[in-house]
Amino acid sequence: MDSGLAGPVAVVRVAERVTHASGALSQVVRRMAENARAGDTASRTEDSALAAERERQLYQAVRDFRLAARATIGGTD
């Protein structure tokens, strides 16, 4: 799959991780919303734990992206 991103390989790879992690979290949140609308609470605890893990993964990917971008442009924050 071509992401259409251009730039240093390290930054592109980390940006793709951000995209993947964001999509993974979105899937869980969508499922949780659909289940809530349907009144289905059977997997609520499991989905909440999965959403928390996916959120942590997204946070880490964004953090890694910022570090890679900073290293590429030579900036500090």
Side-chain angles (χ1 to χ4, degrees), residues 25 28-29 32 46-56:
L25 176 58
V28 174
V29 172
M32 291 173 71
E46 294 161 8
D47 284 343
S48 292
L50 183 57
E53 174 61 20
R54 298 278 166 89
E55 183 179 13
R56 187 198 62 73

Side-chain angles (χ1 to χ4, degrees), residues 17-33 47-59 62:
R17 279 185 46 218
V18 170
T19 300
H20 176 74
S22 176
L25 176 58
S26 292
Q27 287 177 338
V28 174
V29 172
R30 263 189 243 116
R31 183 175 63 237
M32 291 173 71
D47 284 343
S48 292
L50 183 57
E53 174 61 20
R54 298 278 166 89
E55 183 179 13
R56 187 198 62 73
Q57 291 170 351
L58 176 57
Y59 174 83
V62 169

